Amino acid sequence: MPTISDVAKLSGLSKSTVSRVINNYPHVSKEKRELVEKAMKELSYTPSPTARRMRGQVTTTIGVIIPRITNPFFSYLVNAIEQTAYKNGHQVIIFQSNENKEKEIDFLNLLKTNQVDGVIMTAIENDWEVVRSFQEFGPILLCNEYLNNADVPTVRLDQIKGAYIGTKHLLEKGHTKIAYCTGGLFAVDGKDCDRNQGFQKAMQEGGLTVNPPWVFVNKHTMEDGKAVMRQILDMKERPTAVFTGSDEVAGGIIVEAKESGLNIPEDIAVIGFDDQPLAELVAPKLTTIRQPVNDMGQKAVQIMIKMLNHEKLEQMEYELPIELICRQST
Amino acid sequence: MPTISDVAKLSGLSKSTVSRVINNYPHVSKEKRELVEKAMKELSYTPSPTARRMRGQVTTTIGVIIPRITNPFFSYLVNAIEQTAYKNGHQVIIFQSNENKEKEIDFLNLLKTNQVDGVIMTAIENDWEVVRSFQEFGPILLCNEYLNNADVPTVRLDQIKGAYIGTKHLLEKGHTKIAYCTGGLFAVDGKDCDRNQGFQKAMQEGGLTVNPPWVFVNKHTMEDGKAVMRQILDMKERPTAVFTGSDEVAGGIIVEAKESGLNIPEDIAVIGFDDQPLAELVAPKLTTIRQPVNDMGQKAVQIMIKMLNHEKLEQMEYELPIELICRQST
DNA sequence: TTGTAAGCGTTATCAT
DNA sequence: ATGATAACGCTTACAA
């Protein structure tokens, strides 16, 4: 690989001048500039980002932390982030935390060592106190995930509303025995907590109380969904509807229910969350809460870029709309 | 951020000794080593990978080029690659080419500038002659995608066989009017070409000829699948079975067929490729060709690591098994 | 066993 | 307008 010195030598000028051309500084004569450009072309020279980074300038790489890429919600979110970043000349590095605290720390360390210039977190595994301490090494932005009293810029949806309208919809269909699946626990901070609240609010308004055996926590995958349905089948008193925290789980529930000869939505209604492509694929098609992933990814990158440029943000929280998509599973 | 000099100062030793401890060189006295370790801990020091990279050693970052992350086949493949790499202390950077030649070149340039130490390509957009030229900047490995006469290490499946057993299966079910969907073109090099061959071989053996209007090229997504089905519906003479190059396309075909009141597999049989999770979700469940994504990802990383270490490879081509998963759509 | 010093490819500072 | 030089944080001959 040719270096800046090679270009300098070939063009008969100094490294400084070459550097000035590269970073197009104002005070370089047209004559010399052309000389340098010719030499660069001739050697097909590319500046070394490593060296530049060492020198302490470039801020072009964005790290994105996701739980797992095989969850379509996140693959679509990452896709939106990557596309937007690329258009703006930024590179994206994707990290899977696999819901693992240590791995998350490993990745945040890349911020510390300047491997990435900023981090977009779509989920948080460690306590906020731990994550916060990394803010001194570079900007951190929350996207999708959020904390209720945190001092971080956040791009989020109104999860309370999401769970609320979903549950309300089940109530309107006449259900009174409603089960609830969440990806998190039933009482924590942030996104999942808000969904729990939205669910409980709707239940209360309907004059219903939450039945603990019908609450399933830590459910993420299609397999989890199948397992949930098997548990429900074993119950003496079964719910007539299930609210889930993800389309994948909902899909698993539907597949297993049909396997056991149940009809959907007659015997059991199911509502998903995300509006993933599979929602249209499964039969019956899935009623679900649509999250505007593309907009969320775009917005997140736009804000991250502002943060990297040390621009002031107008707001700390950007909230995007969420809506019910009514199909056939309810 | 503390540097190696800070550690040296605090421990009262030289940078060299600290460096020796970091890279655990043999000849350091236990005494000094402990001194250094204590200082490192005290400062919570992390060596700067940027500086190390500049010095020209570290080879720990692997780039992976995929067409799009929202295709489950690739998200699962990337997942396997990432997990394996992480276990071996390697970092993975994911690039979406979006089937775009320029973007692919942009990413290969990271190899040139030492941003990544090796590249795993799961698809190739540019001509091999172009890609090959990047080999001088670091190891390139083909995974999933392949070329028939190329001098690159490759981890691949027997695509001829895959298409062959799929088509054969349709023949055995008594079909004679078989349509064919591919992600590529109907006559190129590599993976898709082999599938075409497998398809044609089975057709010939069944005494059938390929009907051009029933060949659909460049089909990738569920939407593409729906469009294909709509085209088929408009035909005077319709095929009774469709072989597709991906479960997503097959899913789209099934959804659209059901929408139009057709029964599957009675009116039209559909066979997918990949065995993605959606294969179990769609009704009827999808008959498909399983590709061992996990094994493929694992193997690819293992070989890439060998290449990075300049170890000699026993073979240039590693072929993994492929099998028919028979469900209800045929 | 340990330390000194040069060098990796840039850019910023200070002269000229 | 241009050039010499130091500095970024690390590794590695070479010396001691």
Side-chain angles (χ1 to χ4, degrees):
Chain A
M1 283 293 301
T3 75
I4 197 173
S5 304
D6 298 323
V7 178
K9 212 169 294 168
L10 183 60
S11 61
L13 295 163
S14 72
K15 289 197 292 177
S16 326
T17 306
V18 177
S19 176
R20 288 191 185 102
V21 172
I22 294 171
N23 302 282
N24 44 14
Y25 269 57
H27 307 296
V28 191
S29 69
K30 195 167 281 182
E31 191 193 0
K32 313 277 181 189
R33 160 163 282 128
E34 280 163 6
L35 233 47
V36 171
E37 277 162 355
K38 180 161 158 276
M40 296 206 294
K41 199 154 284 172
E42 200 161 324
L43 296 168
S44 74
Y45 161 80
T46 327
S48 149
T50 313
R52 294 182 127 182
R53 185 176 289 282
M54 257 258 304
R55 204 54 194 58
Q57 297 306 317
V58 234
T59 51
T60 158
T61 309
I62 300 171
V64 180
I65 301 186
I66 55 174
R68 57 190 175 90
I69 193 68
T70 54
N71 176 333
F73 172 76
F74 289 104
S75 72
Y76 276 85
L77 181 55
V78 160
N79 179 53
I81 290 175
E82 203 269 340
Q83 306 284 353
T84 315
Y86 182 76
K87 272 183 209 138
N88 290 279
H90 286 258
Q91 228 182 106
V92 169
I93 301 194
I94 301 161
F95 306 121
Q96 296 200 73
S97 69
N98 286 113
E99 282 127 30
N100 174 335
K101 291 190 182 195
E102 284 178 44
K103 238 183 146 181
E104 186 176 80
I105 297 289
D106 277 3
F107 293 144
L108 287 169
N109 265 319
L110 299 188
L111 197 58
K112 204 166 154 187
T113 57
N114 263 300
Q115 305 255 72
V116 297
D117 304 294
V119 171
I120 297 177
M121 301 186 74
T122 68
I124 297 189
E125 302 306 328
N126 289 273
D127 291 335
W128 174 241
E129 291 313 314
V130 178
V131 178
R132 142 186 287 151
S133 65
F134 284 89
Q135 275 188 112
E136 68 170 293
F137 304 113
I140 292 181
L141 171 70
L142 263 39
C143 171
N144 172 56
E145 180 70 274
Y146 58 84
L147 300 162
N148 289 323
N149 299 308
D151 45 337
V152 235
T154 304
V155 175
R156 46 161 281 180
L157 307 174
D158 187 344
Q159 302 284 349
I160 299 190
K161 184 181 164 200
Y164 178 81
I165 57 176
T167 313
K168 203 78 182 173
H169 170 76
L170 293 175
L171 291 170
E172 281 161 8
K173 290 276 180 178
H175 294 280
T176 56
K177 299 171 166 184
I178 302 178
Y180 182 77
C181 280
T182 171
L185 299 173
F186 200 59
V188 278
D189 194 14
K191 181 169 85 57
D192 293 316
C193 168
D194 278 7
R195 284 199 192 162
N196 301 341
Q197 273 186 36
F199 171 65
Q200 285 174 304
K201 188 177 156 212
M203 290 290 276
Q204 265 172 27
E205 286 183 17
L208 301 176
T209 50
V210 177
N211 181 14
W214 291 346
V215 172
F216 301 87
V217 300
N218 258 319
K219 301 305 173 206
H220 302 276
T221 63
M222 216 178 109
E223 285 311 314
D224 290 340
K226 289 186 185 174
V228 165
M229 190 63 222
R230 267 179 256 120
Q231 282 190 49
I232 290 178
L233 286 167
D234 284 345
M235 291 177 176
K236 266 185 302 193
E237 192 178 7
R238 294 183 193 166
T240 61
V242 190
F243 177 96
T244 70
S246 109
D247 286 352
E248 289 180 282
V249 174
I253 290 177
I254 291 179
V255 167
E256 190 70 23
K258 287 197 300 186
E259 204 85 8
S260 313
L262 294 189
N263 288 319
I264 293 169
E266 295 78 11
D267 298 323
I268 189 157
V270 181
I271 183 166
F273 214 109
D274 293 347
D275 196 23
Q276 296 176 9
L278 75 84
E280 291 224 33
L281 220 88
V282 71
K285 294 185 180 178
L286 193 59
T287 294
T288 189
I289 314 294
R290 172 176 296 163
Q291 305 204 66
V293 245
N294 278 313
D295 300 345
M296 206 153 59
Q298 266 185 14
K299 193 79 194 165
V301 171
Q302 284 161 4
I303 295 172
M304 175 50 79
I305 291 178
K306 281 191 185 176
M307 292 169 82
L308 289 171
N309 294 336
H310 306 287
E311 288 175 42
K312 232 180 99 185
L313 304 179
E314 304 91 59
Q315 322 160 30
M316 281 298 260
E317 275 200 10
Y318 295 79
E319 194 174 285
L320 278 62
I322 198 164
E323 66 180 314
L324 178 75
I325 303 295
C326 203
R327 295 203 181 88
Q328 306 152 353
S329 67
T330 53
Chain B
M1 283 294 300
T3 74
I4 198 173
S5 304
D6 298 324
V7 178
K9 213 169 293 169
L10 182 61
S11 61
L13 294 163
S14 73
K15 289 196 294 176
S16 337
T17 307
V18 177
S19 175
R20 289 191 186 102
V21 172
I22 295 171
N23 301 284
N24 44 14
Y25 269 58
H27 307 296
V28 192
S29 68
K30 196 167 281 183
E31 191 192 359
K32 313 279 181 189
R33 161 164 279 129
E34 280 163 6
L35 233 48
V36 171
E37 277 163 355
K38 180 161 159 275
M40 295 206 295
K41 199 154 285 174
E42 200 160 323
L43 297 168
S44 75
Y45 163 79
T46 326
S48 150
T50 312
R52 295 182 124 182
R53 185 176 289 283
M54 258 261 302
R55 203 57 192 58
Q57 298 306 317
V58 235
T59 51
T60 158
T61 308
I62 299 171
V64 181
I65 301 185
I66 55 175
R68 59 190 173 91
I69 193 67
T70 54
N71 176 333
F73 173 75
F74 289 105
S75 73
Y76 277 85
L77 181 56
V78 161
N79 180 53
I81 290 176
E82 204 269 341
Q83 306 284 352
T84 314
Y86 182 76
K87 273 183 209 139
N88 291 279
H90 285 257
Q91 228 183 105
V92 169
I93 301 193
I94 300 160
F95 305 120
Q96 296 199 75
S97 69
N98 287 113
E99 283 128 29
N100 174 335
K101 290 190 182 193
E102 282 179 45
K103 238 182 145 179
E104 186 176 80
I105 297 287
D106 276 3
F107 292 146
L108 286 170
N109 265 319
L110 299 186
L111 197 58
K112 203 165 154 187
T113 58
N114 262 299
Q115 305 256 69
V116 296
D117 304 295
V119 172
I120 296 177
M121 302 186 75
T122 67
I124 298 189
E125 302 305 329
N126 288 273
D127 291 334
W128 174 241
E129 291 313 314
V130 178
V131 178
R132 142 187 285 152
S133 65
F134 285 89
Q135 275 189 111
E136 68 169 295
F137 306 113
I140 292 180
L141 172 70
L142 263 39
C143 171
N144 172 56
E145 179 70 271
Y146 58 84
L147 299 163
N148 289 323
N149 299 308
D151 45 338
V152 234
T154 305
V155 175
R156 46 161 281 178
L157 307 175
D158 187 343
Q159 302 282 351
I160 298 189
K161 184 180 164 201
Y164 178 79
I165 57 178
T167 312
K168 202 80 182 171
H169 170 76
L170 293 175
L171 292 170
E172 280 160 9
K173 291 277 181 177
H175 294 281
T176 55
K177 299 171 168 186
I178 302 178
Y180 181 78
C181 280
T182 170
L185 299 175
F186 200 61
V188 277
D189 194 14
K191 180 167 89 42
D192 292 316
C193 167
D194 278 6
R195 286 198 192 161
N196 301 343
Q197 274 185 34
F199 171 66
Q200 286 174 303
K201 188 177 156 210
M203 291 289 275
Q204 266 172 26
E205 287 184 16
L208 302 175
T209 50
V210 177
N211 181 15
W214 292 346
V215 172
F216 302 87
V217 299
N218 259 318
K219 301 306 173 206
H220 303 276
T221 64
M222 216 178 107
E223 285 311 315
D224 289 340
K226 289 186 186 176
V228 165
M229 191 62 221
R230 266 178 258 122
Q231 282 191 49
I232 289 179
L233 286 166
D234 285 345
M235 291 179 176
K236 266 184 301 190
E237 190 176 9
R238 295 184 192 164
T240 61
V242 190
F243 177 96
T244 72
S246 111
D247 286 353
E248 289 180 282
V249 174
I253 289 177
I254 290 180
V255 167
E256 190 69 23
K258 287 198 301 188
E259 204 85 7
S260 313
L262 294 190
N263 290 318
I264 293 170
E266 295 78 10
D267 296 324
I268 189 157
V270 182
I271 184 165
F273 214 109
D274 293 347
D275 197 24
Q276 297 176 9
L278 74 84
E280 291 225 32
L281 219 86
V282 72
K285 294 184 180 178
L286 193 58
T287 295
T288 189
I289 313 294
R290 173 175 295 162
Q291 305 204 67
V293 244
N294 278 312
D295 300 344
M296 207 156 57
Q298 266 186 12
K299 194 77 196 166
V301 172
Q302 285 162 4
I303 294 173
M304 175 51 78
I305 290 178
K306 281 192 185 175
M307 292 169 82
L308 289 171
N309 295 335
H310 305 287
E311 288 175 41
K312 232 180 99 184
L313 303 178
E314 305 90 59
Q315 320 160 32
M316 280 298 261
E317 275 201 8
Y318 296 80
E319 193 174 285
L320 278 63
I322 198 164
E323 66 179 315
L324 178 75
I325 304 295
C326 203
R327 296 203 182 87
Q328 305 151 355
S329 69
T330 53

